[in-house]
Structures are given as structure tokens and as C-alpha cells.
Amino acid sequence: MAAEQPTATTRPRPAPGSAAGDATAVAHPNIALVKYWGKRDEQLVLPWTDSLSMTLDVFPTTTRVRLDPGAGEDTVTLDGAPLEGEPRRRVTAFLDLVRERAGSPLRAVVDTRNTVPTGAGLASSASGFAALATAADAAYGLGLDATGLSRLARRGSGSASRSVFGGFAIWHAGQPDRGGDPDLGSYAEPVPVPVAALDPALVVAVVDAGPKAVSSREAMRRTVATSPLYRPWAASSQADLAEMREALRRADLDAVGEVAERNALGMHATMLAARPAVRYLSAATLTVLDAVLELRRAGVSAWATMDAGPNVKVLCRRSEADRVAGVVREAVRGGSVHIAGPGPAARLRDADA
Ligand code: DP6
């Protein structure tokens, strides 16, 4: 069967009309089917394990980076409001990295528009830093290729390394002990998947769109440092990855779903065993998980995955997504339900498009 990707995965080209020092990029969130959970290097954002995801065709983030020669500091806004505290510090630290590489002292005006609820475990940092990396690369004239953009986006947020690509992507942890520059070995790249045969959809059940009490950054730090289940999960995750790649190659949705669900539940088990425990799964999450089990009992291929929040993403066939969404909508009552397919790579576009 011929490998096919639904979307472009090549390096974004400057959009017509994007001037030097002013660039706008759009990127989509991704959902990991084999999770990233735990860093071996906090500074460089190097993970302990490889991970694999599907970029979505919903909830894009659009970010404009405009260099401001007169400014003494960066101006950063999210959905029109100034960004404060730690989120702002992460953006300015990221821009410092870009400035260092570009040999430029110039501050920037960064304007980000999210269409995904921020901080709710729906990967807003993935689309956010993939868009920021793509726009900042163009505005500061770094000229990175897609691999370079993925490495750069990784420094903002690990999962952002995967949102540089459309369709399915694997993020390589990189060899910890191979010597050389550890930064170079850790980047994402596209995974060839027969998408038409797999016919995948993710039904996103937003049971709670509020910000989470514990950031994923802090939660994974605590898990690695204190959870007796972390190492066993990391070891089993490498085996999950091999099985996942094989299942994707065969376009075997049930095998993909089975591995994704157990990998996610295992990740949450590591957090539940952390000291103190981190529990993102709520009563509403479990209600959706019960509905997913019921769907499977009724013969529908439906498999759940959860990230650093209570929301559930249900992997199913696109052809059955409406039915799955209907059952999930009943279960979430009051929450919102969205159907996502494989989405496009991060790319530049006109500021006013
Ligand atoms: C549970 O990429 O948000 O969504 O690198 O600290 O910014 P930082 O973490 P982040 O973590 C995402 C973790 C996850 C699983 C995944 O996306 O692989």
C-alpha cells in the first residue's frame, strides 16, 4: 500500500507579502498516541522517550512576530491581552534563544491568537510554540529547515516539536550517551501512514475548559523525580512505539487505538503514583471512558487518550465519528465535543489573511 500524507510536511515558504522582520505563522495542536512524559534535560527540553502524534485539523494558533527596533523589551499578547508571569517568561526566553542564533538584539511584538482553550490539556503550547518558532524564524531570518524548526520549537515546549509537521509525526528523544551535541539528535519528523485506509478521527470531548491546577511541566518533573512507576512506563513506552509504528503501517485502527489507550493510561498511572500524586482525570473523564467502553462493546472501534487535563480524545474511524461524537456528547453533558482529522504542517501566511 502506498504511503500517503494528507498534508504538506516540507519547510514553510515565506508567505507572499511577509516582509523581513514581520512574519505570521499558523500551527495546529497535536495529540500524542504514544506520549512524551518526562525530560532528561530541562534546559534543552530533551525527553526520556520517543513519542508519536497526530496533528489535528482544528484549533489552530496564529502568531505574528514583528521586530521593533525602538523597543527595550518584548511585547507579548495572547488573544489581545498582555501575557504575564511564567507564560510570558517562556516566550521571552524563547525569543532570546532566537536572537542569540540570529545575532540580533532586536525586541519583538508577539501577537498570538488561540482557538483552543489555553492550559486545558488540549496542547495549546504545542500549536503555540510551533507557530512562534515558524514566525520568529522568518522574522529574524534564521532560515531553518523543517528539522531545525522542530528542534527550535522543542525548546519552547516539547510537544511543539511535533506540531511543525502535519499528519503523523515521531519525536526522537535522541541518544543520551552518543556524545556530540545532544540538541541535534532530538527532533520530530513525519511518519508515513496510509491515511485513507486508516481513516482516523479524534473526537475531542472538552469536559472542562478551565486552566489546570498543576502545569504539565511541573507534573512531569515530579513524576520523574518521585514516581516508582515512571521507569517501567518509560521502558514499556518504547515497546508501545514499535507496535504503534507497525499498526499505523498496516492501517490497523484497532491496534493503533489499543496501544494509544494503554500508553495514556500508563502515563496517568505514573502520575497517580507520584508523591504527592498528580490526578488530572476527573469524574467526568471516567464517565467518557465508560462511554468509550460501551461503544467498543457495541462493536465500534473507539479508543481513549488523555493528556495533562481531564479532557478525553477518542480515536475512531472518520466514518463512525458522528456516531461516536453523539455518544460522547451524551456522556459529557454541558461540555463541548469536536471532531478532528489529520491536520496540516505549521506554515507562514499573510498577516491579514
Ligand atoms: C501529556 O509539551 O506541554 O501532552 O515540554 O514541559 O512544555 P513541556 O511539556 P508539554 O507536554 C505535553 C505532554 C502530554 C503528552 C504529549 O503531548 O506527548
Side-chain angles (χ1 to χ4, degrees), residues 47-70:
W48 278 113
T49 59
D50 299 341
S51 54
L52 190 151
S53 61
M54 183 175 103
T55 297
L56 307 185
D57 60 0
V58 296
F59 302 142
T61 295
T62 304
T63 296
R64 181 178 184 190
V65 175
R66 190 165 50 80
L67 306 194
D68 186 354

Side-chain angles (χ1 to χ4, degrees), residues 87-108:
R88 182 192 145 79
R89 197 204 58 75
R90 276 175 72 173
V91 171
T92 54
F94 185 85
L95 291 172
D96 286 342
L97 186 67
V98 174
R99 279 189 278 265
E100 191 187 309
R101 291 190 187 175
S104 168
L106 297 183
R107 305 290 132 176

Side-chain angles (χ1 to χ4, degrees), residues 30 32 34-37 39 45 51 90 125 156-159 162 216-217 220 267 307-308:
N30 70 78
V34 175
K35 302 294 184 190
Y36 148 53
W37 195 251
K39 297 178 186 64
V45 192
S51 54
R90 276 175 72 173
S125 70
S157 187
S159 53
R162 300 182 309 236
S216 56
R217 192 152 278 200
M220 67 173 83
M267 177 186 77
D307 294 294

